[in-house]
Amino acid sequence: MRVDVQLLLMTTAILSFRSPCLCRRAQLPSSLRRHMNRLADPCTDFYEYACGNWMWTHQGRPYRSLLEQLDHVYHGRLAKLLDQPPPQAAKEPRFVRMLRDYYAACRTPLEATPSAEFLLKLCRMAEVDGNELAVALTALFQTDVLLEITDSNLAAVWAQLILRPSAEGDRNASLHQPLSREQFDQLWRRLPAPEETPDEVWPKVKELEEAITAKVEKDALGWLPDTTTDNAGMLFPVPAYWMLPWPTFETGLSYVTHLSQYLASQPPRFLLHYLLLRSLHRDGERAPWSFTRLECAAQGRLFITHAAVWLVEQHHPRLQANGTLQGLFGELKQRFGLKLKANRNKFSAATQRFLLEKLERMSLRLSILPSAEAVESVEERVEQHYKQLRINATDYFGNLLAVMEHSRGQEENPATKYDLHPVEVHGYGSYASPFFMPMGNALLVPLSLLEAPLYRPEQRQVLTYSSLGFILGHELSHGFAPVDVHFDAFGQPNRSKSLSMLTSRRFLSQVLCLHRRHGMYIADEKFADLNGLELAYGAYFEAGGGPGRCTQAQKQLFFFNFAQFFCSDDRNLEDSEEHGSDRQRVNDAMASFDPFRQAYGCKSVRRGSRTRCQLY
């Protein structure tokens, strides 16, 4: 009887669709279909339905999300250019030669242990933060990639180093004992002119090593309240390339948690000194090590960003897609202009002119490089930006110091901070991320975004609108979100306009709606997600029209492809404090969007979802 009821419900759902054309497997591109979790219910967890198999499909790949995949493709393109000899017919700019020198030094096999002089230079820098610590840990523990350390992930980085599989031959137990005072004094005499005395440093070293080797009860921290029998039975050997003390008792997850959190709590400058001592204590020479081609290209792009972008843009065919994107951007602006002109908030005539002029003058650039009528002027600005930087083709660690000092100098000098469009890998999540610059009233789309699987020139329009259309609509919406709406058409702040907008009872109620539902810190991002999706959907299905566009299959494909932009390995990973998790971003956008529920036959509103907050 139960089977009959299920068949009846399935038949009723099929017959209730307006179009008999469902999103069959044959109509979903194989590149998307393999990411689907067919066991998930799209009406209750659309992210799981669209991205549930992404992690297994890309298992073992050197990226953890679609955005990182786009960066991986871009770095491969950059590495290929850097592997080729420079053209002899034309002289390359100095900043490109510096990029090549950095790449060459990075690709050269590196000594197992950096020199004491190099680590002491790190210790003596005016500021010692995550950048210096990342360089030291990368070198000392011989990681495959340059570690990225932020204010919030240092404990996780230490845990990553602790959990690395042990290297063969790294079994000398004497290396992993706490230092005696005699050993400490011998090592201290090998340091080239340290600033502190050994009597000042020894007590801190002793306290640190006692804490490292102290036994921790499994339930002492409360950090693993659901520790299972299996986890409790996990034992960890000495990690690969480990130079710190390691306890003689059996270690499990509680110890790993304790050790990673304790090391993360140490002052960076003191920790660098201590790591230097332990590296000198590590007996035996290890084999030289090196980074991969793509990792060196990624580092070059991270530290000498605009030089890397300039080089790639000289050889990138996607620049021809500028017309396609500009046309799509124009459609989205037109759609949003209609919403503004409807004036549901009953703004004054002056406020309406302010908003419409801002929309009209908003621009889109397919590059982080400055616009210019002549290529030479772009080269001159990039050249000026790197004027003080010096790179040595044979000194990788010296180059790291140079680029960190150059980057810090650019940040501290207001005259140069915005000379070129900044690209912040931590601030924006990925170099492939587009972003809106309120002080320029402009959207910037890095060229790395225009790569497969997100974009192919020959792909169907529904794929372009549901991916790039949403992305452009999202960034456009930021210009009209509560945080940035006060910047005018020329990027100048005008607080009086945003205050006058709040006198609209409807607008104020919708701002408060966003705050109540999503929290103050991510309210703007939620507005941009919802409004960007609505603009892209309307531009394709409502404004575009045309035969075949409004079928059920097309609508399902639109939403399925929209979700692909957010697919990642860690499905609950927070993109940032401003964005929230990828899963929640997809599900929140779908929960209150009527066209989605109609496309997938979701007859009842998902529990916990409510009417959308609409600012305009």
Side-chain angles (χ1 to χ4, degrees), residues 107-151:
R107 291 290 291 139
T108 302
L110 306 171
E111 295 180 4
T113 303
S115 66
E117 290 83 357
F118 168 73
L119 286 179
L120 276 178
K121 286 180 181 178
L122 285 179
C123 297
R124 291 171 177 170
M125 293 185 73
E127 295 182 25
V128 177
D129 54 22
N131 288 333
E132 288 72 29
L133 198 55
V135 171
L137 294 181
T138 298
L140 293 172
F141 291 93
Q142 301 184 29
T143 62
D144 296 329
V145 298
L146 183 65
L147 295 172
E148 295 180 3
I149 294 178
T150 64
D151 293 337

Side-chain angles (χ1 to χ4, degrees), residues 295-550:
E295 170 59 20
C296 288
Q299 288 188 33
R301 187 187 184 194
L302 173 66
F303 293 124
I304 316 177
T305 306
H306 296 85
V309 171
W310 185 92
L311 179 61
V312 171
E313 287 190 6
Q314 308 308 304
H315 305 84
H316 205 302
R318 293 292 189 270
L319 283 173
Q320 300 172 359
N322 188 40
T324 300
L325 283 188
Q326 294 291 352
L328 178 55
F329 183 55
E331 289 185 52
L332 298 171
K333 288 175 64 175
Q334 185 179 18
R335 294 285 302 177
F336 191 62
L338 293 175
K339 295 185 71 171
L340 292 179
K341 291 175 183 178
N343 197 13
R344 300 174 64 190
N345 294 308
K346 295 182 171 54
F347 291 139
S348 66
T351 298
Q352 282 290 92
R353 286 194 299 272
F354 174 85
L355 295 173
L356 289 170
E357 183 184 13
K358 179 174 184 175
L359 178 65
E360 180 182 358
R361 288 186 174 274
M362 187 178 288
S363 62
L364 167 68
R365 280 194 49 75
L366 190 58
S367 173
I368 64 167
L369 295 179
S371 58
E373 295 181 0
V375 175
E376 290 76 15
S377 61
V378 175
E379 293 182 18
E380 289 172 358
R381 291 187 65 180
V382 178
E383 193 70 66
Q384 182 66 26
H385 184 73
Y386 294 111
K387 183 179 180 180
Q388 303 300 324
L389 182 61
R390 298 292 182 271
I391 298 295
N392 188 324
T394 60
D395 185 6
Y396 171 73
F397 294 112
N399 292 341
L400 286 178
L401 286 173
V403 293
M404 285 191 293
E405 290 174 347
H406 177 264
S407 177
R408 182 168 286 132
Q410 295 292 318
E411 292 176 357
E412 294 173 351
N413 187 349
T416 60
K417 185 174 182 180
Y418 294 107
D419 182 51
L420 295 176
H421 295 308
V423 177
E424 303 173 12
V425 65
H426 295 305
Y428 295 104
S430 167
Y431 280 110
S433 294
F435 51 95
F436 175 73
M437 296 192 68
M439 288 182 288
N441 194 25
L443 277 67
L444 272 73
V445 179
L447 199 58
S448 51
L449 195 69
L450 301 182
E451 295 282 2
L454 191 66
Y455 175 76
R456 297 177 178 87
E458 69 281 0
Q459 71 184 13
R460 285 182 275 174
Q461 282 193 313
V462 64
L463 300 178
T464 301
Y465 276 75
S466 57
S467 56
L468 294 178
F470 160 74
I471 292 167
L472 296 180
H474 173 99
E475 299 303 334
L476 180 157
S477 300
H478 272 299
F480 299 89
V483 169
D484 291 329
V485 70
H486 67 280
F487 288 95
D488 66 16
F490 302 95
Q492 299 300 314
N494 188 338
R495 291 285 183 184
S496 63
K497 286 300 180 185
S498 59
L499 292 175
S500 68
M501 293 173 67
L502 293 176
T503 62
S504 165
R505 294 180 62 182
R506 182 193 176 279
F507 185 78
L508 178 59
S509 69
Q510 295 304 299
V511 171
L512 295 176
C513 173
L514 285 168
H515 288 179
R516 284 194 302 269
R517 190 165 302 174
H518 306 293
M520 181 181 300
Y521 295 109
I522 64 172
D524 279 39
E525 289 296 337
K526 291 298 183 182
F527 162 70
D529 281 347
L530 297 171
N531 197 57
L533 177 64
E534 182 181 11
L535 291 176
Y537 182 90
Y540 183 74
F541 287 107
E542 297 171 12
R549 280 201 174 187
C550 294

